[in-house]
Amino acid sequence: MKPSLKKLLPTAIAVVGIGALLFACRTTNPGVKTAVTNDAAQKVFVAPGQYDEYYAFLSGGFSGQIAVYGIPSGRLLKVIPVFSQNPENAWGYSEETKPMLQTSHGFVPWDDSHHPELSQTDGMPNGKWIFINANNTPRIARVDLTRFETDEIIEIPNAAGGHAAPFTTPDGRFVVSATRFSVPIPNTDVAISDYKKSFRGTISFVKADVPGKMEVAFQILMPGYDYDLGHAGKGPSDGWFFFTSYNSEQAYTKLEANASQNDKDYVAAVNWKRAEECVAAGKAKTTPSSYKHNFIDENSRIATSETKTSVAMLDPRDCDGLVYFLPTPKSPHGVDVDPTGQYIVAGGKLATVIPVHSFAKLQKAINDKEFESTIDGIPVLKYNAILAGEVKNPGLGPLHTEFDGKGYAYTSMFISSEVVKWKLGTWEIVDRIPTYYSIGHLMIPGGDTKRPWGKYLIAMNKITKDRYLPTGPELAQAAQLIDISGEKMKLLLDFPTIGEPHYAQALPASMIKDKQVKFYSLAQNSNPYKIMKEAEGGINRAGKRVDVKMLAIRSHFAPDNIEGVQLGDTVYFHVTNVEQDWDILHGFAVLGNNNSELIVAPGETRTIKWVPTRVGVFPFYCTDFCSALHQEMQGYIRVSPAGTSVPLIAKLSDKALTQTGRLEKTMPTKHGHE
């Protein structure tokens, strides 16, 4: 840092701090008091040229994507396309990436993403990947954290609504998904009124420790409830998984009333190590199921979609000791396991307490057979036999809990719009802080792991109202950064988010910052349309299909003049970016293209399909600023009427590439055309 900047920095921080304090004292809503301290700006200020301490990964909700923010600044660093087409970089539009959005329902160009989950080793993030679920068409995606790109997606069969996903086991072998909506299995034409007879739930364990090899290892057949969220045990409870469920009434209409009748619903405690034993012993039934597995080849960067046709289905009645129900008040949403692995905390949306189950008591209750009933082969344990304690009068609408690793838990209260801090073991409330407005999930970096980084808490708010400038009927979604390093919680920052933020994960930037891929090796690029030099570019016709091999380099395309294309042709532009330098991307767009542009990273090849709809000459150009002569990086493609005799030719300057790909001198005709 320059000495002059060092001298100015304290003044700059002071000015920002005064501005924040003045803003804190001013309220646009007289009924809302802004709880920001006068040192908040200093704590979130990241000086120009400096880096944030954490990467935070927030789900994009109905955007279908993941948003990456720097913490503590709250700056948006990147939007990672996952389940929704993204014209910014042609995700789901380019020929190489289209297969990633294939499902058993066909090509699905969007979804509703909720719960990012970092890959783990021994119960701690390892910085390799982040997984995320698709809620609508049940899927799980893997994102590579050296490239911040989605490289694998698997569909979950026998499920409807992949909400309780994709929570990982501490050893990183599995990510797990439970169906939100129970459906007939197999899903066939039955009367909805036959719900109790025909509808079932599933819990799916997906093998996820080898890139490109994700598969549904086994599914567990469950009663026809709605399964909401899950978390793995750790330490003494390692080998177990816990899922909330509601609608134990098995209602199928007007659930807001009919699924809120019972005083208690259930947390399903799944002994997944026992499940593996039963599968190995042949107790699972092979069940026909059609679903897609999509993955990108590391070198060609081309996606493949393959169809899977069966899963191993395990019925708890055929595997004793597999699943137990823990009675939990009332309509539970979140379920979270503390860093020691001893306490299972549930958030009953309609409950007046926060119930905490004891894993040690759970084990004893199983051994002593303290069951109150059995449902479809699943014993229901007695509530008082497994209860560690209850947090009394926490507020209204407890949803989710995370931990700071210092003996404290933090629970989001949806209805009373606050975060409540309470002490594990004594269950006493020690602090609370308001949020604006209607908090859903919250996240502490590492807050669901064995050793949280208990410095910050991020509150993800469902509604914002007057926190930002108004933007019509839809206002910005929100996250709030809260300092939890001291005895009392302190609000530091509001920052808008894309879509609707649900859950989030975060890790220290130092874990992955220096592992980022800066460019793809051109030598290792195995895309069949790759070219290494201008002379390898050209054009080829096969019936009505025209393929153009094109090179992109600062600051021109090769070829940049194309003729001989006819109305009725389909043109595929295969663009190779031959740069081998960090952040030197090239774009490609052609007039009249009805899908998207291309963004081509250094060393990769990307393909876009173009179907001309009229005769004429159409420009194409680079869409990503790449050099001082970026504006000059352009070309033309000529489209002639069908059946004309215009030669198929692609050229750069006075040289042309023929259909054979051989570089030769062009000779002008009497009409001035080659």
Side-chain angles (χ1 to χ4, degrees):
M1 186 182 293
K2 293 181 179 179
S4 57
L5 182 56
K6 284 184 178 179
K7 291 179 180 178
L8 290 172
L9 192 55
T11 302
I13 293 174
V15 170
V16 174
I18 292 169
L21 180 59
L22 290 173
F23 180 79
C25 294
R26 185 191 69 193
T27 59
T28 54
N29 181 346
V32 176
K33 185 176 181 180
T34 307
V36 179
T37 59
N38 60 1
D39 63 345
Q42 295 183 36
K43 289 185 175 181
V44 302
F45 181 71
V46 178
Q50 299 300 307
Y51 294 128
D52 278 284
E53 187 177 356
Y54 292 91
Y55 285 101
F57 303 87
L58 276 65
S59 69
F62 41 70
S63 79
Q65 321 294 37
I66 295 176
V68 186
Y69 298 86
I71 298 298
S73 73
R75 297 181 294 200
L76 177 63
L77 304 177
K78 186 179 179 67
V79 174
I80 304 173
V82 185
F83 297 115
S84 296
Q85 287 178 296
N86 186 32
E88 180 181 339
N89 63 356
W91 176 257
Y93 290 103
S94 70
E95 297 304 299
E96 288 83 5
T97 61
K98 279 182 182 178
M100 293 298 286
L101 301 183
Q102 288 293 336
T103 76
S104 62
H105 303 276
F107 183 78
V108 177
W110 76 280
D111 218 297
D112 180 20
S113 60
H114 279 219
H115 305 123
E117 179 85 346
L118 290 163
S119 57
Q120 293 186 7
T121 300
D122 191 25
M124 290 298 294
N126 56 28
K128 291 182 179 180
W129 312 301
I130 193 163
F131 300 93
I132 193 165
N133 65 322
N135 189 28
N136 184 64
T137 305
R139 289 172 283 175
I140 294 174
R142 179 204 308 271
V143 175
D144 187 302
L145 291 183
T146 66
R147 296 179 284 110
F148 281 56
E149 292 181 345
T150 304
D151 62 10
E152 191 168 8
I153 297 176
I154 191 166
E155 187 178 2
I156 308 299
N158 304 310
H163 189 260
F167 303 101
T168 187
T169 55
D171 61 5
R173 286 197 298 137
F174 296 107
V175 289
V176 188
S177 176
T179 185
R180 177 180 175 185
F181 310 110
S182 287
V183 292
I185 298 178
N187 200 342
T188 187
D189 181 21
V190 300
I192 298 173
S193 58
D194 285 341
Y195 187 105
K196 290 186 178 182
K197 175 183 176 182
S198 303
F199 287 53
R200 303 299 297 272
T202 53
I203 295 174
S204 305
F205 281 74
V206 177
K207 195 171 185 339
D209 54 346
V210 179
K213 303 292 184 181
M214 290 176 75
E215 63 176 346
V216 180
F218 58 88
Q219 293 185 307
I220 300 172
L221 193 64
M222 297 291 289
Y225 305 154
D226 291 48
Y227 297 87
D228 208 2
L229 282 164
H231 265 108
K234 54 180 75 78
S237 55
D238 189 8
W240 289 74
F241 228 99
F242 304 94
F243 292 92
T244 52
S245 66
Y246 62 97
N247 191 23
S248 56
E249 299 86 351
Q250 295 188 288
Y252 51 85
T253 184
K254 201 175 183 181
L255 264 64
E256 63 178 320
N258 294 326
S260 303
Q261 302 297 311
N262 294 339
D263 184 55
K264 291 182 175 65
D265 288 291
Y266 302 113
V267 167
V270 179
N271 185 340
W272 61 268
K273 294 287 182 72
R274 175 63 179 149
E276 288 189 294
E277 293 173 355
C278 289
V279 171
K283 295 184 178 182
K285 294 180 175 66
T286 300
T287 303
S289 306
S290 179
Y291 59 102
K292 294 290 187 179
H293 173 230
N294 311 325
F295 58 95
I296 293 178
D297 179 79
E298 181 179 358
N299 293 321
S300 70
R301 313 273 296 129
I302 297 174
T304 297
S305 180
E306 61 181 6
T307 300
K308 302 286 188 178
T309 57
S310 66
V311 294
M313 185 74 74
L314 197 57
D315 191 317
R317 286 170 287 203
D318 299 327
C319 179
D320 62 290
L322 176 60
V323 185
Y324 297 89
F325 277 143
L326 318 182
T328 303
K330 178 179 185 182
S331 298
H333 186 50
V335 59
D336 302 280
V337 182
D338 86 302
T340 71
Q342 285 287 359
Y343 298 125
I344 302 107
V345 182
K349 299 191 296 288
L350 303 179
T352 58
V353 297
I354 300 172
V356 183
H357 299 305
S358 162
F359 183 74
K361 288 187 174 184
L362 182 154
Q363 293 292 91
K364 185 177 186 303
I366 291 172
N367 291 334
D368 295 343
K369 299 188 182 305
E370 294 197 59
F371 308 145
E372 63 180 40
S373 63
T374 299
I375 301 172
D376 294 344
I378 300 172
V380 179
L381 298 171
K382 294 179 180 178
Y383 181 69
N384 289 331
I386 58 175
L387 188 68
E390 294 177 335
V391 181
K392 306 289 187 181
N393 302 314
L396 299 176
L399 292 184
H400 304 279
T401 300
E402 295 240 326
F403 309 92
D404 62 8
K406 306 169 189 174
Y408 293 99
Y410 301 75
T411 300
S412 57
M413 312 300 293
F414 176 77
I415 297 174
S416 52
S417 296
E418 59 185 331
V419 174
V420 173
K421 177 181 178 180
W422 50 276
K423 188 171 179 58
L424 288 160
T426 67
W427 327 121
E428 61 182 317
I429 295 171
V430 296
D431 193 23
R432 59 178 75 231
I433 190 171
T435 58
Y436 311 93
Y437 296 76
S438 301
I439 182 176
H441 277 274
L442 46 69
M443 182 273 290
I444 294 170
D448 63 344
T449 69
K450 291 170 70 173
R451 295 183 297 277
W453 296 285
K455 184 175 181 179
Y456 298 115
L457 181 148
I458 295 178
M460 284 153 279
N461 295 358
K462 302 296 187 185
I463 304 168
T464 56
K465 293 297 185 189
D466 56 13
R467 299 304 286 179
Y468 307 104
L469 289 171
T471 52
E474 183 182 15
L475 300 178
Q477 305 293 330
Q480 292 184 303
L481 183 68
I482 296 171
D483 181 352
I484 60 169
S485 60
E487 183 180 347
K488 295 293 184 181
M489 294 180 282
K490 297 179 181 179
L491 177 62
L492 299 180
L493 182 70
D494 282 337
F495 58 97
T497 65
I498 68 163
E500 180 188 345
H502 290 267
Y503 191 42
Q505 294 267 273
L507 46 65
S510 59
M511 185 177 290
I512 61 174
K513 177 176 67 70
D514 297 331
K515 298 178 182 178
Q516 297 306 298
V517 171
K518 296 185 177 180
F519 56 85
Y520 299 106
S521 168
L522 193 59
Q524 294 178 359
N525 180 341
S526 61
N527 188 301
Y529 293 100
K530 176 194 76 172
I531 58 177
M532 299 278 285
K533 51 189 177 181
E534 292 175 355
E536 295 174 350
I539 193 167
N540 187 71
R541 174 184 291 280
K544 292 291 186 181
R545 174 178 174 133
V546 176
D547 289 278
V548 180
K549 288 185 178 181
M550 182 176 288
L551 178 145
I553 191 170
R554 287 169 283 183
S555 298
H556 65 271
F557 294 108
D560 63 2
N561 278 200
I562 299 165
E563 300 191 30
V565 173
Q566 299 180 13
L567 200 62
D569 287 343
T570 296
V571 182
Y572 292 87
F573 292 96
H574 311 282
V575 184
T576 300
N577 180 351
V578 297
E579 310 281 359
Q580 293 288 266
D581 196 4
W582 192 15
D583 200 35
I584 305 301
L585 287 79
H586 290 298
F588 176 85
V590 59
L591 177 62
N593 206 17
N594 63 2
N595 41 29
S596 81
E597 62 171 342
L598 284 178
I599 293 294
V600 191
E604 78 173 349
T605 303
R606 281 286 182 255
T607 302
I608 201 74
K609 181 174 77 172
W610 181 62
V611 182
T613 59
R614 65 187 70 171
V615 168
V617 177
F618 302 88
F620 53 83
Y621 67 101
C622 178
T623 57
D624 192 320
F625 186 89
C626 55
S627 72
L629 296 178
H630 165 72
Q631 289 292 99
E632 284 74 13
M633 193 167 176
Q634 65 180 56
Y636 292 97
I637 182 169
R638 174 186 172 190
V639 178
S640 302
T644 57
S645 58
V646 178
L648 188 69
I649 198 164
K651 70 178 184 177
L652 175 68
S653 186
D654 62 344
K655 297 179 180 180
L657 290 170
T658 68
Q659 283 190 242
T660 63
R662 182 168 57 87
L663 190 67
E664 57 184 29
K665 197 80 173 179
T666 62
M667 296 296 293
T669 66
K670 63 181 180 180
H671 299 293
H673 299 303
E674 291 83 44

